[in-house]
Amino acid sequence: MSLLDEPFIAGRLRDVASSPVREILALTARPGVISFAGGLPAPELFDAAGLGDAFAAALADAGRTLQYSTTEGDPALREQIAARLTARGLPTAADELLVTSGSQQALALVAAATLEPGDRVLVEEPSYLAAIQAFKMAGAEVIAVPCDDEGLDPDAVASLAARHGARLLYTVATFQNPTGRTLPLVRREALIGVAARTGLWILEDDPYGELRYHGEPVPAIASLPGAEGRVLAISTLSKVAAPGLRIGWLRTPQSLRGPVVVAKQAADLHSSTIDQAAAARWLAAIDLDAHVATLRRVYGERLDALVEGLAGALPPGSTHNRPDGGMFVWARLPDGWDAEPLLARALEHDVAFVPGAPFFAGPPDHAAMRLSFTAHPPAEIVDGLARLRGAWSA
């Protein structure tokens, strides 16, 4: 094939790797595989009947719900989301919200509205892989911030922001993906101070905050004094309703509302009208507190099953954490081990996980691994851990 036959690929895509999580999901789609890889909600916990009723009710108003709509989103849905955020401690008005096609689109819109090619973005080390993809797609340079078992080091954020002239800090402060860590309140307050001194935007991603199984909630960064005007907040219905709805949202300071709306107009005009209308009806009809309580009870049992059996499933000398919520446990194999070849052997035993290396914006830790526990009941988790032990002990 000559150079003239090769398709032109935009330069902004050259450094954006495909997500290994999505690739592993394809490998684990065959029957019989117990997958700790993708962060998938349990399908048996979807309120399929309630969502079916909500879609039927939305379709009864088909002249509106199958039509084009406003970019900002369905007013009733924005009111429902605002009420939920307010009840959880983040006072929010409907006009502060932009409905997005999943929180992943919210990441892309923030990147489009705030970043120029060559700008620096600070992320946790390790960090959510799809966020790294979104920032690189915008032409930004992603800078890793050192973390410990409690998450971001605010002093390191301040130092790196000053050194690199960073424009944005991205954080999953509660039950972080991939590590499950939760940033303590004192560090959240310190980040507000760093943002005030450096002019840094803080982008707080909170997809897992409702899924707490142990301990007491920590206030969102966006809810803290001084956050006004410096913190953008994004979240989603994917973890409490269903990911197939593709309903997310972005809460922005006044100064950014116009730019992110324009960015969304350029991306897709607006999110699905029918899905938004159905989601609004579902939220109005369901006892969401009771539904979330069921998720917490079931997922908490699954977390306990994974954590209690993980030490015996990994090689001696491995370590792992025990998060208070979310969907992930972070583990590390002994020095000298590489999670990538272990995954290949695990797949031969019909079990899967995600190697941790791709989540690092800086030098990767090849011994790290992420395991999700939400998609399988405890008995299947025990079976999967036995298979995982067989993958390295055989």
Coordinates of all heavy atoms in Angstrom, one line a residue, residues 298-334:
V298 N -26.6 -5.1 48.3 CA -26.1 -6.2 47.5 C -24.6 -6.0 47.1 O -23.8 -6.9 47.2 CB -27.0 -6.2 46.2 CG1 -26.4 -7.2 45.2 CG2 -28.4 -6.6 46.6
Y299 N -24.3 -4.8 46.7 CA -22.9 -4.5 46.3 C -21.9 -4.6 47.5 O -20.8 -5.0 47.4 CB -22.7 -3.2 45.6 CG -23.4 -3.0 44.3 CD1 -23.6 -1.8 43.7 CD2 -23.7 -4.2 43.5 CE1 -24.2 -1.7 42.5 CE2 -24.3 -4.1 42.3 CZ -24.5 -2.8 41.7 OH -25.1 -2.7 40.5
G300 N -22.4 -4.2 48.7 CA -21.6 -4.3 49.9 C -21.3 -5.8 50.2 O -20.1 -6.1 50.6
E301 N -22.2 -6.7 50.0 CA -22.0 -8.1 50.2 C -20.9 -8.6 49.2 O -20.1 -9.5 49.5 CB -23.3 -8.9 50.1 CG -24.3 -8.6 51.2 CD -25.6 -9.2 50.9 OE1 -25.9 -9.7 49.8 OE2 -26.5 -9.2 51.8
R302 N -21.0 -8.1 48.0 CA -20.1 -8.6 46.9 C -18.7 -8.0 47.2 O -17.7 -8.7 46.9 CB -20.7 -8.1 45.5 CG -22.0 -8.8 45.2 CD -22.6 -8.4 43.9 NE -23.9 -9.2 43.8 CZ -24.6 -9.2 42.7 NH1 -24.2 -8.6 41.6 NH2 -25.7 -9.9 42.6
L303 N -18.6 -6.8 47.6 CA -17.3 -6.2 48.0 C -16.7 -7.1 49.1 O -15.5 -7.5 49.0 CB -17.4 -4.8 48.5 CG -16.2 -4.2 49.2 CD1 -15.0 -4.1 48.2 CD2 -16.6 -2.8 49.7
D304 N -17.4 -7.4 50.1 CA -16.9 -8.2 51.2 C -16.4 -9.6 50.7 O -15.4 -10.1 51.1 CB -18.0 -8.4 52.3 CG -18.3 -7.1 53.0 OD1 -17.5 -6.2 52.9 OD2 -19.4 -7.1 53.7
A305 N -17.2 -10.2 49.8 CA -16.8 -11.5 49.3 C -15.5 -11.4 48.5 O -14.6 -12.3 48.6 CB -17.9 -12.1 48.3
L306 N -15.3 -10.3 47.7 CA -14.0 -10.2 47.0 C -12.9 -9.9 47.9 O -11.8 -10.6 47.8 CB -14.2 -9.1 46.0 CG -12.9 -8.8 45.1 CD1 -12.6 -10.0 44.2 CD2 -13.0 -7.5 44.3
V307 N -13.0 -9.0 48.8 CA -11.9 -8.6 49.7 C -11.5 -9.8 50.6 O -10.3 -10.0 50.9 CB -12.3 -7.3 50.5 CG1 -11.3 -7.1 51.6 CG2 -12.4 -6.1 49.6
E308 N -12.5 -10.5 51.1 CA -12.2 -11.6 52.1 C -11.5 -12.7 51.4 O -10.7 -13.4 52.1 CB -13.5 -12.1 52.7 CG -14.1 -11.1 53.7 CD -15.5 -11.4 54.1 OE1 -16.0 -12.5 53.7 OE2 -16.1 -10.5 54.8
G309 N -11.7 -12.9 50.1 CA -11.0 -14.0 49.4 C -9.8 -13.7 48.6 O -9.1 -14.5 48.1
L310 N -9.5 -12.3 48.5 CA -8.5 -11.9 47.5 C -7.1 -12.3 47.9 O -6.3 -12.7 47.0 CB -8.6 -10.4 47.3 CG -7.9 -9.8 46.1 CD1 -8.2 -10.5 44.8 CD2 -8.2 -8.3 45.9
A311 N -6.8 -12.2 49.2 CA -5.4 -12.5 49.6 C -5.1 -14.0 49.2 O -3.9 -14.2 48.8 CB -5.3 -12.3 51.1
G312 N -6.0 -14.9 49.4 CA -5.7 -16.3 49.0 C -5.7 -16.5 47.5 O -5.3 -17.6 47.1
A313 N -6.2 -15.6 46.7 CA -6.3 -15.8 45.3 C -5.1 -15.2 44.6 O -4.9 -15.5 43.4 CB -7.6 -15.1 44.7
L314 N -4.3 -14.4 45.2 CA -3.2 -13.7 44.6 C -1.9 -14.3 45.1 O -1.9 -15.0 46.2 CB -3.2 -12.2 44.9 CG -4.4 -11.4 44.3 CD1 -4.3 -10.0 44.8 CD2 -4.4 -11.5 42.8
P315 N -0.8 -14.2 44.4 CA 0.5 -14.8 44.9 C 0.9 -14.2 46.2 O 0.6 -13.0 46.6 CB 1.5 -14.3 43.8 CG 0.6 -14.1 42.6 CD -0.7 -13.5 43.1
P316 N 1.6 -15.0 47.0 CA 2.1 -14.5 48.3 C 2.9 -13.2 48.2 O 3.7 -13.1 47.2 CB 2.9 -15.6 48.9 CG 2.4 -16.9 48.2 CD 2.0 -16.4 46.8
G317 N 2.6 -12.3 49.1 CA 3.3 -11.0 49.0 C 2.5 -9.9 48.3 O 2.9 -8.7 48.2
S318 N 1.4 -10.3 47.7 CA 0.5 -9.3 47.0 C -0.2 -8.5 48.1 O -0.3 -8.9 49.3 CB -0.6 -10.0 46.2 OG 0.0 -10.8 45.2
T319 N -0.7 -7.3 47.7 CA -1.4 -6.4 48.6 C -2.7 -5.9 47.9 O -2.8 -5.9 46.7 CB -0.6 -5.2 49.0 OG1 -0.2 -4.5 47.8 CG2 0.7 -5.6 49.8
H320 N -3.7 -5.5 48.7 CA -4.9 -4.9 48.1 C -5.5 -4.1 49.2 O -5.2 -4.2 50.4 CB -5.9 -6.0 47.7 CG -6.4 -6.9 48.8 ND1 -7.5 -6.5 49.6 CD2 -6.0 -8.1 49.2 CE1 -7.7 -7.4 50.5 NE2 -6.9 -8.4 50.3
N321 N -6.4 -3.1 48.7 CA -7.1 -2.2 49.6 C -8.5 -2.8 49.9 O -8.9 -3.8 49.4 CB -7.1 -0.8 49.1 CG -7.8 -0.6 47.8 OD1 -8.3 -1.6 47.2 ND2 -7.9 0.6 47.3
R322 N -9.2 -2.0 50.8 CA -10.6 -2.3 51.1 C -11.3 -1.0 51.1 O -11.4 -0.3 52.1 CB -10.7 -3.0 52.5 CG -12.1 -3.5 52.7 CD -12.3 -4.1 54.1 NE -13.6 -4.7 54.2 CZ -13.9 -6.0 54.4 NH1 -12.9 -6.9 54.5 NH2 -15.1 -6.5 54.4
P323 N -11.9 -0.6 49.9 CA -12.6 0.6 49.9 C -13.9 0.6 50.6 O -14.5 -0.5 50.9 CB -12.8 0.8 48.4 CG -12.8 -0.6 47.8 CD -11.8 -1.4 48.7
D324 N -14.4 1.8 50.9 CA -15.7 1.9 51.6 C -16.9 1.9 50.7 O -18.1 1.9 51.1 CB -15.7 3.1 52.5 CG -14.8 3.0 53.7 OD1 -14.6 1.9 54.2 OD2 -14.3 4.0 54.2
G325 N -16.7 1.9 49.4 CA -17.8 1.9 48.4 C -17.2 1.8 47.0 O -16.1 1.5 46.8
G326 N -18.1 2.2 46.1 CA -17.7 2.2 44.7 C -17.9 0.9 44.0 O -18.7 0.0 44.4
M327 N -17.0 0.6 43.1 CA -17.1 -0.6 42.3 C -15.8 -1.4 42.1 O -15.7 -2.4 41.5 CB -17.6 -0.3 40.9 CG -19.0 0.4 40.9 SD -19.6 0.8 39.3 CE -20.4 -0.7 38.8
F328 N -14.7 -0.8 42.7 CA -13.4 -1.4 42.4 C -12.5 -1.6 43.6 O -12.6 -0.9 44.6 CB -12.6 -0.4 41.5 CG -13.4 -0.1 40.2 CD1 -13.9 1.2 40.0 CD2 -13.6 -1.1 39.2 CE1 -14.6 1.5 38.9 CE2 -14.3 -0.8 38.1 CZ -14.8 0.5 37.9
V329 N -11.7 -2.7 43.5 CA -10.6 -2.9 44.5 C -9.3 -2.9 43.7 O -9.2 -3.4 42.6 CB -10.8 -4.3 45.1 CG1 -9.6 -4.7 46.0 CG2 -12.1 -4.3 46.0
W330 N -8.3 -2.3 44.3 CA -7.0 -2.1 43.7 C -6.0 -3.0 44.4 O -5.9 -3.1 45.6 CB -6.5 -0.7 43.9 CG -5.3 -0.2 43.2 CD1 -4.1 0.2 43.8 CD2 -5.1 -0.1 41.8 NE1 -3.2 0.6 42.8 CE2 -3.8 0.4 41.6 CE3 -5.9 -0.3 40.7 CZ2 -3.3 0.7 40.3 CZ3 -5.4 -0.1 39.4 CH2 -4.1 0.4 39.2
A331 N -5.3 -3.8 43.6 CA -4.4 -4.8 44.1 C -3.0 -4.6 43.5 O -2.9 -4.0 42.4 CB -4.9 -6.2 43.9
R332 N -2.0 -5.2 44.1 CA -0.6 -5.1 43.6 C 0.0 -6.5 43.8 O 0.0 -7.0 44.9 CB 0.2 -4.0 44.2 CG 1.5 -3.8 43.5 CD 2.3 -2.6 44.0 NE 3.5 -2.4 43.2 CZ 4.6 -3.1 43.1 NH1 4.8 -4.1 43.9 NH2 5.6 -2.8 42.3
L333 N 0.6 -7.0 42.7 CA 1.3 -8.3 42.8 C 2.7 -8.0 43.4 O 3.1 -6.9 43.5 CB 1.4 -8.9 41.4 CG 0.1 -9.2 40.7 CD1 0.4 -9.5 39.2 CD2 -0.6 -10.3 41.3
P334 N 3.4 -9.1 43.8 CA 4.7 -8.9 44.4 C 5.7 -8.3 43.4 O 5.5 -8.4 42.1 CB 5.2 -10.3 44.8 CG 3.9 -11.1 44.9 CD 3.0 -10.5 43.9

